Amino acid sequence: CKITESETSESYIQWLRSKARICTSLSIWRTLATFIGILAVCHVLSCGIFFYLRMPGWQKSLAEHMYDDISQLEQLHSQASLLVQSEILRQQYHHEAPKLIPKIIHQTYKNNLIPSKILPLLQTWREFNPEYEIRFYDDSACTHFVATEFPEYIEAYRLLPKDVERADFFRYMVVLRHGGVYADIDTECRVPVDTFVGATDTLVVGWENEFAGDEEAFSRHFVRRRQILQWLFLGVPGHPVLRSICDHIATHATTQFSNNTNRDTLERTGPGVWTDMVLRAKALPREGGGHWGVRILPRVAFGAHPTGVDGISPTSPLVLALHHFMGSWKVSGGWKNRKSLETIFRRWSLEGTDKNRDMIMARKPNVALVNLDGKPMRSPTEKQIVVPTSTDGKTDVDSSKLPAMVTDIFPVSATWEPPFDIMVLMLGEDGELNIERPTNSLAPIEGPSSSITNWGTFHPGVHPTRRPGLAEAMIGSLGGHKRSAVLVDVGAGVGFFSLAAAARGHRAIAFETRAKHLRALKSSVERNGFGEWLTVHEYDIGSSSKEFCIVWQQRQQASQVLEARRLIKEANEVGDSAADAIERFRSMIEEEVDDITGRMFGNQAELDQENGFQDHNEIVCSLPEKVKQLSELIPNDVEIGALKLSVRGMEGWVLEGAEEIMTKRPPPIVVLELRPTEMKAQGWVQPQELLDRMWKWGYTDISHSGPVCDERWHNITLARHSRHQIYSPALESTVETALNQPTWCKLSKLLFPILIQRAHPSIPESLLFHHLTRPDMLEQERLVRLAALERNASIISP
């Protein structure tokens, strides 16, 4: 827009002014366009094309492109009770069905002058349970009750050294006699009691906490690594567990179990002995039918802390009752030696540095053993209490040695409809340690046993409270097909998904080889009476290919060497003299472990040469009998409704051995816990090849859930995060924020490479494949099944 001298005449002045304004406007628009272009480039560079950024006006379309609520796979989830054919089973878990546990709530306090801050908590029990009778007892009423109802216990009741111990004793006795609910007065009711008590329940309790070791538990003033709370429980009159603990307290009212007063209380009448008695309980027959069972709810039910410590928010909708810890019975200094001031001073003086604190924890004191009857013992047995002593025979209060648990597998009532009991392992024994989530995620990843203990459910790779979960999607889909369709669960672990399917009346076939997981799974099947619905096989599933032979052999070698390393560690911890001899082989064994694990990442030629195979084509595949192909284990007449694989990097080999199934009778639903890093370690060099093969087999409707899906959501909402419209950093660590995210994301074939690239090295990404080659047939089966359910509902509805 240049103006020449010839254009400066009077006749052109108005035209020139208009032209100048136009030129100025064009400059502004060019500047604005340049700025927008630079901004767009910055967005792409920072978020990538895959993790695109939400822009104004795009939010709805982008969300629809990414978000996947897998509603088609959950079509019958809301009708879960109808999936149980038996009318008895249906009514068993309906909250309006008659209950064995009486509608009585028992609460106590030392007198009638209840603190004002407690009154609103007491009112919650009345508001949520208007049909329940609430009975209040002060100390004098408790003593009168014991004297009249249990005269055989009155002497022991009076001999107990503390009021809190008498309160413990009373709660067991009052429910033993009258049944009902016992609740501390500082507990808050969150939901009606009838909504979580089943018609056949005879004793309902809850997990309080679990710890990886004795030291951590002791430092938190717990007396068991896994502990059952007793500030709230429900029972029927005459339950054997309540009778057993009352007899125990009466026998040992004056027994000294330890040499600190607080721990003594926990062992004599509190959660220590309560945990032991509940876990020893057997499902004995009851007069009039049924059994004296025990249902232990997950920690979120009764065990959440009001401060949210240990990862469970007190505002979670899964909290049934909340303990506010407004009363404190523990004596100041009660965790220290009552007799030795020298020991107290020594502990106080050493606590100044981390080094000295570590020295305290590292000491190995002598141990004096006393039986539950208070008599000395020469050898440990199941019924013993451990009282640590120092080398001079005096008590050693610094020892954190706790009594051994009475079992190594533990029942938890699953958060499922209908509920079932699942046996889980001790924290750290599940093969999946709690892992810190990526920075854009909102809670630590828990292993199956830990997740089930805390929440009653499990979803690989994401927080278990997010919906819809994997179990809801996968098992809900079984209801949309023929009743004969089965769930095949390879790498079942403790069996949550197989048991959930069996609880709804679906057949399941589970494969597991790890000894402790296998024992827990079989125990769960027996405990729930699922033998008709759930079959368990002890087989390693793989491929018949020569490459798989080598990988499998390498895996076994690595497993054996790692087991040797574990034994060395245990020997060192015990201080056994054999550790000196084993020490000579430590470096050699560690080199062998590093060599084997390193070769797993090498190419196939190097792997063959290291194993003595000169020519890969000459290898003869010779596998143990327990390694099978899935195709040879599933009969042709079995219709697979869903196939789930959780095989720690062996996904490709398992599906290679199941090619006949996948091509000739493909399951409608396939779920993979995808771990690309471990797949490469197991010899499957190109993980994307497996996804391409699934697409070729007709699985073109794909959803994924886990860290990559969460990362996509985080990047999509990044712009709005910065404006604090849907995000606040203060809420980043809360579960409630996580619930606002989608659990599942859609996955197209174009995104396969980036999914593999962005997958977390330790946390699995759950992939849910839906077969779409027979949509008309599947939809017809679903409609037929739905019609049958509706007819069944009209027949059995009251």
Side-chain angles (χ1 to χ4, degrees):
C1 294
K2 295 182 180 180
I3 302 175
T4 62
E5 293 182 0
S6 60
E7 296 174 332
T8 58
S9 62
E10 192 79 16
S11 60
Y12 292 100
I13 288 180
Q14 188 171 358
W15 176 80
L16 290 175
R17 289 176 178 173
S18 300
K19 188 174 181 181
R21 286 195 295 269
I22 294 174
C23 292
T24 302
S25 299
L26 289 175
S27 299
I28 294 174
W29 281 109
R30 289 193 188 100
T31 303
L32 182 60
T34 302
F35 176 76
I36 293 175
I38 293 174
L39 181 62
V41 171
C42 291
H43 287 165
V44 172
L45 292 177
S46 62
C47 300
I49 298 175
F50 178 59
F51 303 108
Y52 41 74
L53 187 66
R54 275 191 167 186
M55 298 294 290
W58 296 358
Q59 297 185 18
K60 182 175 180 180
S61 61
L62 291 183
E64 289 177 351
H65 175 71
M66 188 202 108
Y67 182 75
D68 192 351
D69 63 2
I70 55 173
S71 57
Q72 292 183 350
L73 304 179
E74 287 193 285
Q75 295 179 35
L76 302 181
H77 174 61
S78 61
Q79 306 179 48
S81 60
L82 299 180
L83 296 176
V84 183
Q85 293 179 329
S86 170
E87 180 181 0
I88 296 176
L89 288 178
R90 175 181 175 271
Q91 291 187 354
Q92 176 179 351
Y93 296 106
H94 198 279
H95 70 88
E96 295 180 356
K99 306 290 192 298
L100 295 175
I101 296 176
K103 294 180 179 293
I104 307 171
I105 299 173
H106 306 278
Q107 296 184 300
T108 70
Y109 189 61
K110 60 184 178 182
N111 53 47
N112 291 324
L113 302 177
I114 300 175
S116 58
K117 63 182 179 181
I118 298 289
L119 295 176
L121 303 180
L122 294 178
Q123 186 62 25
T124 61
W125 292 96
R126 297 182 183 276
E127 291 176 352
F128 282 104
N129 306 282
E131 298 180 358
Y132 276 64
E133 175 189 356
I134 297 181
R135 299 180 183 178
F136 177 81
Y137 310 80
D138 60 15
D139 285 356
S140 60
C142 292
T143 303
H144 177 74
F145 172 85
V146 177
T148 56
E149 298 293 337
F150 293 98
E152 67 273 27
Y153 294 151
I154 187 61
E155 182 180 0
Y157 182 78
R158 288 170 174 160
L159 286 174
L160 288 170
K162 298 180 185 178
D163 288 339
V164 67
E165 295 176 7
R166 280 183 283 276
D168 285 343
F169 198 4
F170 171 79
R171 71 187 65 184
Y172 305 133
M173 285 189 284
V174 74
V175 178
L176 173 63
R177 176 64 73 216
H178 297 302
V181 181
Y182 172 82
D184 278 358
I185 61 171
D186 57 350
T187 57
E188 173 191 357
C189 184
R190 291 285 183 84
V191 298
V193 171
D194 284 346
T195 61
F196 61 84
V197 175
T200 60
D201 286 339
T202 57
L203 184 63
V204 180
V205 299
W207 286 108
E208 182 177 1
N209 217 327
E210 67 169 340
F211 300 95
D214 286 357
E215 293 83 0
E216 184 183 2
F218 186 78
S219 69
R220 295 279 302 278
H221 295 177
F222 285 77
V223 290
R224 297 293 184 273
R225 281 183 60 187
R226 287 183 68 106
Q227 190 163 290
I228 297 173
L229 59 87
Q230 35 90 271
W231 56 69
L232 173 62
F233 62 90
L234 308 86
V236 297
H239 199 288
V241 169
L242 298 172
R243 175 61 72 178
S244 296
I245 195 169
C246 288
D247 289 344
H248 169 81
I249 295 173
T251 303
H252 305 291
T254 59
T255 301
Q256 184 176 333
F257 294 93
S258 70
N259 280 284
N260 62 67
T261 179
N262 289 341
R263 178 171 173 181
D264 224 27
T265 295
L266 299 176
E267 293 286 8
R268 183 182 293 114
T269 64
V273 63
W274 176 241
T275 298
D276 293 346
M277 293 297 176
V278 170
L279 293 180
R280 288 193 180 109
K282 305 295 183 183
L284 301 174
R286 294 177 59 249
E287 294 183 6
H291 292 80
W292 295 106
V294 178
R295 189 154 72 97
I296 310 179
L297 300 179
R299 194 161 67 91
V300 67
F302 303 153
H305 196 278
T307 64
V309 69
D310 295 322
I312 297 182
S313 170
T315 61
S316 170
L318 297 178
V319 173
L320 306 179
L322 184 65
H323 190 208
H324 287 267
F325 297 95
M326 290 183 177
S328 179
W329 58 267
K330 295 176 181 175
V331 178
S332 178
W335 290 94
K336 299 176 170 30
N337 194 337
R338 295 177 296 181
K339 297 182 179 180
S340 175
L341 293 176
E342 176 186 357
T343 305
I344 296 174
F345 179 80
R346 183 174 69 251
R347 181 183 178 91
W348 171 79
S349 63
L350 290 177
E351 284 181 345
T353 66
D354 292 337
K355 180 178 180 181
N356 287 332
R357 189 179 298 110
D358 294 339
M359 291 172 59
I360 293 175
M361 302 305 295
R363 286 187 296 165
K364 298 180 175 63
N366 297 327
V367 175
L369 305 178
V370 293
N371 207 339
L372 288 180
D373 59 5
K375 298 179 180 179
M377 297 185 61
R378 292 186 176 181
S379 60
T381 67
E382 180 180 75
K383 298 180 179 180
Q384 70 181 25
I385 302 298
V386 180
V387 181
T389 63
S390 62
T391 55
D392 60 0
K394 298 180 180 180
T395 57
D396 187 348
V397 298
D398 290 325
S399 172
S400 56
K401 180 68 175 178
L402 300 181
M405 301 296 298
V406 301
T407 181
D408 60 349
I409 54 176
F410 307 90
V412 182
S413 180
T415 306
W416 188 248
E417 180 64 35
F420 59 90
D421 284 349
I422 178 170
M423 306 300 290
V424 299
L425 309 182
M426 190 76 79
L427 181 66
E429 296 182 355
D430 211 1
E432 295 264 13
L433 297 177
N434 286 7
I435 304 171
E436 290 297 325
R437 292 178 64 89
T439 55
N440 58 295
S441 299
L442 306 173
I445 293 295
E446 298 173 313
S449 289
S450 177
S451 175
I452 294 167
T453 297
N454 289 333
W455 304 96
T457 185
F458 174 62
H459 185 137
V462 301
H463 198 278
T465 59
R466 290 166 60 176
R467 295 291 183 268
L470 177 58
E472 295 164 338
M474 180 173 62
I475 298 170
S477 71
L478 292 175
H481 306 292
K482 292 181 179 178
R483 191 65 179 177
S484 60
V486 304
L487 166 66
V488 176
D489 191 357
V490 182
V494 294
F496 175 76
F497 297 101
S498 294
L499 293 165
R504 292 191 177 175
H506 298 293
R507 285 189 58 210
I509 302 174
F511 295 91
E512 182 55 60
T513 57
R514 292 169 291 181
K516 187 168 286 190
H517 293 75
L518 192 64
R519 182 159 57 88
L521 176 52
K522 291 182 177 179
S523 179
S524 297
V525 173
E526 181 180 0
R527 185 182 182 97
N528 291 281
F530 286 167
E532 179 183 356
W533 304 102
L534 177 52
T535 304
V536 181
H537 293 296
E538 188 177 357
Y539 287 113
D540 260 323
I541 307 300
S543 168
S544 63
S545 71
K546 298 172 183 179
E547 290 83 358
F548 174 74
C549 290
I550 297 173
V551 169
W552 192 89
Q553 291 165 3
Q554 289 287 341
R555 187 179 61 170
Q556 300 308 305
Q557 293 175 19
S559 177
Q560 293 170 6
V561 174
L562 292 173
E563 177 67 13
R565 174 184 282 181
R566 185 185 66 81
L567 294 175
I568 290 176
K569 181 180 178 181
E570 290 183 355
N572 286 333
E573 290 176 349
V574 174
D576 197 337
S577 59
D580 295 334
I582 298 175
E583 180 66 24
R584 297 194 303 269
F585 303 97
R586 180 191 299 275
S587 59
M588 180 183 69
I589 291 176
E590 290 182 348
E591 289 175 1
E592 186 175 355
V593 171
D594 294 338
D595 181 50
I596 289 175
T597 54
R599 280 181 287 151
M600 286 182 177
F601 290 90
N603 60 52
Q604 191 63 52
E606 293 175 349
L607 192 64
D608 296 345
Q609 187 175 3
E610 290 290 334
N611 282 276
F613 298 118
Q614 300 301 322
D615 186 353
H616 176 63
N617 294 325
E618 296 177 0
I619 299 175
V620 177
C621 185
S622 177
L623 291 173
E625 293 183 358
K626 287 191 175 182
V627 179
K628 301 287 186 181
Q629 295 183 68
L630 197 60
S631 296
E632 61 183 303
L633 293 174
I634 306 297
N636 292 331
D637 60 346
V638 172
E639 181 181 356
I640 303 176
L643 171 63
K644 175 184 167 292
L645 303 183
S646 177
V647 288
R648 301 303 299 264
M650 303 297 290
E651 300 92 301
W653 301 114
V654 172
L655 286 174
E656 183 177 79
E659 185 169 3
E660 180 182 354
I661 292 176
M662 304 302 292
T663 55
K664 295 183 179 179
R665 44 190 178 119
I669 300 295
V670 175
V671 174
L672 299 181
E673 290 185 23
L674 188 68
R675 301 172 184 262
T677 300
E678 295 191 27
M679 290 180 69
K680 295 176 182 178
Q682 298 288 11
W684 195 274
V685 182
Q686 297 294 335
Q688 184 183 338
E689 179 187 343
L690 177 61
L691 303 184
D692 293 335
R693 188 176 299 186
M694 292 292 294
W695 187 277
K696 181 180 179 181
W697 286 339
Y699 292 93
T700 55
D701 181 17
I702 311 173
S703 306
H704 69 108
S705 175
V708 179
C709 178
D710 288 350
E711 187 174 359
R712 292 179 66 186
W713 176 259
H714 176 80
N715 284 278
I716 285 175
T717 58
L718 187 60
R720 297 184 66 181
H721 287 179
S722 63
R723 294 193 296 270
H724 302 285
Q725 294 183 17
I726 63 171
Y727 172 82
S728 171
L731 299 177
E732 185 172 7
S733 61
T734 64
V735 175
E736 286 71 25
T737 303
L739 292 173
N740 294 329
Q741 295 181 213
T743 304
W744 297 90
C745 302
K746 293 181 178 179
L747 183 66
S748 67
K749 187 176 182 180
L750 294 175
L751 300 179
F752 285 175
I754 305 179
L755 175 68
I756 299 297
Q757 177 188 359
R758 301 296 297 181
H760 195 278
S762 303
I763 304 173
E765 190 81 13
S766 296
L767 269 62
L768 194 151
F769 297 86
H770 188 195
H771 197 276
L772 294 181
T773 58
R774 302 177 300 163
D776 296 337
M777 182 184 302
L778 296 178
E779 176 65 13
Q780 184 178 2
E781 290 179 4
R782 187 190 70 80
L783 294 175
V784 171
R785 175 62 184 153
L786 183 59
L789 285 172
E790 292 174 347
R791 290 194 301 270
N792 189 34
S794 63
I795 295 174
I796 65 177
S797 296

